[in-house]
Amino acid sequence: MGITKEPFGSEYTLYTITNAKGTQIKVTDLGGTIVSLLFQDKNEVMQDIVLGYDTPEEYLKNGGFLGAWVGRSGNRIGLARFELNGKAYQLPVNDNDNNLHSGPDIFSSRKAKVQLTSDNCITFSIKDSDLRQGYPGNFIGTCSYTLTDDDALRIRYTGECDSDTICNMTNHSYFNLGGHACGSMEDTILWMSCDKYTPVVDGQAIPTGELRPVAGTAFDFTTQKPIGQDINADDEQLKFVGGYDHNFVIQKDKGMMVRFAEAYQPKTGICMECYTDLPGVQFYAGNCIPEMHGKDGALYGPRDGFCLETQFYPNSINQEGFAKPILRAGEVVESVTTYRFTVR
């Protein structure tokens, strides 16, 4: 119980938080990345339920945002540009015609400062100089991981800047509740409270601006069903991105802490309840995970993990009617997302 640390390669450190039940999360100061999450299943076997790599070099070379803390702005910004206070800003283009996850100078490729630790919490911080990623202002972001004794992983983000800027931080963990090495997660049962999603433009994955009802479509998870049940349905939105890779609407604006999803894996009995105060969640079914080696010699491939990335909607800075992820100079913005694990 508590926090231990060990070397992670020659330049980084791996921190392990262990709670009273033996549940563990391992995170590294290489970008504040989640490397593993160990939880005991219904058969009393410890399962590592997030995809990851064994070495810093693999994280830096292979990418995929496995376990990544994403900032300043997660998801896509259309045409990699936006206007703020009447001034235009150009970002790097790294995803078709767009900017994805503020790349290529991503947080997960940098060494984060360990700002604070306690018995069950560790906080990482990254300073981003004015225009380093293309965004205005000198920015300080923090990401705190707290592991509670009732098996909840609480992720808290804060951001502050000396100029008006964008702040839309998230975590990009790929979950597989059957264990990271077990292959496809398509038999995972998913429920989401979301009755609308944001359809995207073919070839760009940028929202059209519509909030489309999920009722009667493959996107309806308001009644629980296996992720793979409708993933190959004859739906143009699924065909545009090879499966689920869409933002779902949790609430109109940032505000209340909402229970928005529950995922359950019958083979292990592991259940994950999800809570956030953010407006949306990007449900990504791992459609584009390439065949590659992960932790412990595991071979990963398409749909071997799923992401529930809490966020402001993609391209919200440019889309009329979407809540804006604007951080005003001198203010501190905060958001919290919690994943709670149980066994059935």
Side-chain angles (χ1 to χ4, degrees):
M1 184 174 175
I3 296 180
T4 60
K5 63 180 183 178
E6 60 188 290
F8 191 53
S10 59
E11 299 181 38
Y12 305 100
T13 301
L14 188 67
Y15 297 84
T16 301
I17 308 175
T18 306
N19 72 6
K21 296 180 180 179
T23 300
Q24 291 186 342
I25 179 174
K26 296 178 183 288
V27 294
T28 175
D29 55 359
L30 174 55
T33 298
I34 295 176
V35 174
S36 68
L37 206 169
L38 294 157
F39 183 72
Q40 184 172 276
D41 71 10
K42 66 181 180 180
N43 301 310
E44 299 185 349
V45 175
M46 292 299 289
Q47 298 286 354
D48 187 350
I49 55 176
V50 295
L51 276 59
Y53 301 115
D54 287 323
T55 66
E57 291 75 21
E58 289 170 296
Y59 280 98
L60 293 168
K61 177 182 177 181
N62 296 340
F65 302 100
L66 273 61
W69 168 27
V70 179
R72 291 183 202 188
S73 185
N75 218 305
R76 293 172 175 85
I77 294 180
L79 300 178
R81 61 179 183 238
F82 65 94
E83 286 192 9
L84 185 60
N85 299 333
K87 184 175 180 180
Y89 294 91
Q90 181 66 51
L91 308 175
V93 174
N94 69 328
D95 181 72
N96 295 313
D97 298 326
N98 313 304
N99 178 269
L100 174 64
H101 297 322
S102 302
D105 185 20
I106 52 178
F107 277 14
S108 55
S109 68
R110 308 189 210 171
K111 188 169 185 176
K113 180 181 178 182
V114 179
Q115 188 177 48
L116 174 68
T117 59
S118 65
D119 284 345
N120 69 341
C121 176
I122 184 166
T123 300
F124 298 102
S125 65
I126 285 179
K127 292 184 178 180
D128 208 27
S129 58
D130 182 36
L131 299 178
R132 174 164 177 180
Q133 293 179 305
Y135 301 103
N138 296 291
F139 175 83
I140 300 175
T142 73
C143 177
S144 299
Y145 298 107
T146 301
L147 181 62
T148 68
D149 282 338
D150 64 349
D151 293 324
L153 171 60
R154 180 176 182 265
I155 307 177
R156 175 179 178 265
Y157 308 98
T158 70
E160 57 184 304
C161 195
D162 59 4
S163 298
D164 290 358
T165 194
I166 292 177
C167 182
N168 186 19
M169 293 184 284
T170 192
N171 180 268
H172 206 290
S173 287
Y174 291 79
F175 295 99
N176 190 324
L177 303 183
H180 78 101
C182 79
S184 174
M185 55 75 218
E186 292 178 75
D187 60 344
T188 300
I189 309 298
L190 180 65
W191 167 87
M192 288 195 289
S193 65
C194 313
D195 62 1
K196 294 182 177 67
Y197 77 104
T198 54
V200 298
V201 176
D202 185 17
Q204 298 294 331
I206 295 293
T208 62
E210 177 189 358
L211 303 183
R212 183 176 295 179
V214 302
T217 76
F219 291 83
D220 191 350
F221 286 89
T222 58
T223 299
Q224 63 181 16
K225 66 181 181 182
I227 290 173
Q229 177 175 304
D230 299 320
I231 200 169
N232 296 314
D234 186 16
D235 185 306
E236 67 174 11
Q237 283 293 312
L238 294 172
K239 294 176 180 179
F240 285 169
V241 291
Y244 298 110
D245 189 7
H246 294 77
N247 169 73
F248 285 72
V249 176
I250 297 173
Q251 53 191 334
K252 182 179 178 182
D253 298 300
K254 183 179 182 297
M256 297 186 300
M257 181 62 66
V258 177
R259 179 176 177 267
F260 69 89
E262 178 183 289
Y264 171 67
Q265 174 49 252
K267 293 194 296 285
T268 59
I270 296 175
C271 179
M272 181 176 75
E273 296 178 278
C274 310
Y275 304 80
T276 194
D277 58 7
L278 286 163
V281 58
Q282 186 82 7
F283 170 41
Y284 176 45
N287 315 307
C288 298
I289 300 174
E291 289 197 358
M292 61 184 182
H293 288 283
K295 290 177 291 187
D296 307 319
L299 183 65
Y300 299 152
R303 300 179 182 169
D304 281 359
F306 66 93
C307 303
L308 292 169
E309 307 159 57
T310 54
Q311 59 177 9
F312 286 85
Y313 308 162
N315 199 37
S316 54
I317 189 62
N318 292 318
Q319 183 61 57
E320 185 178 352
F322 287 3
K324 306 298 182 191
I326 296 174
L327 170 60
R328 297 298 179 185
E331 296 182 352
V332 177
V333 69
E334 175 185 358
S335 67
V336 175
T337 295
T338 297
Y339 304 98
R340 184 172 180 268
F341 302 92
T342 56
V343 170
R344 293 179 179 173

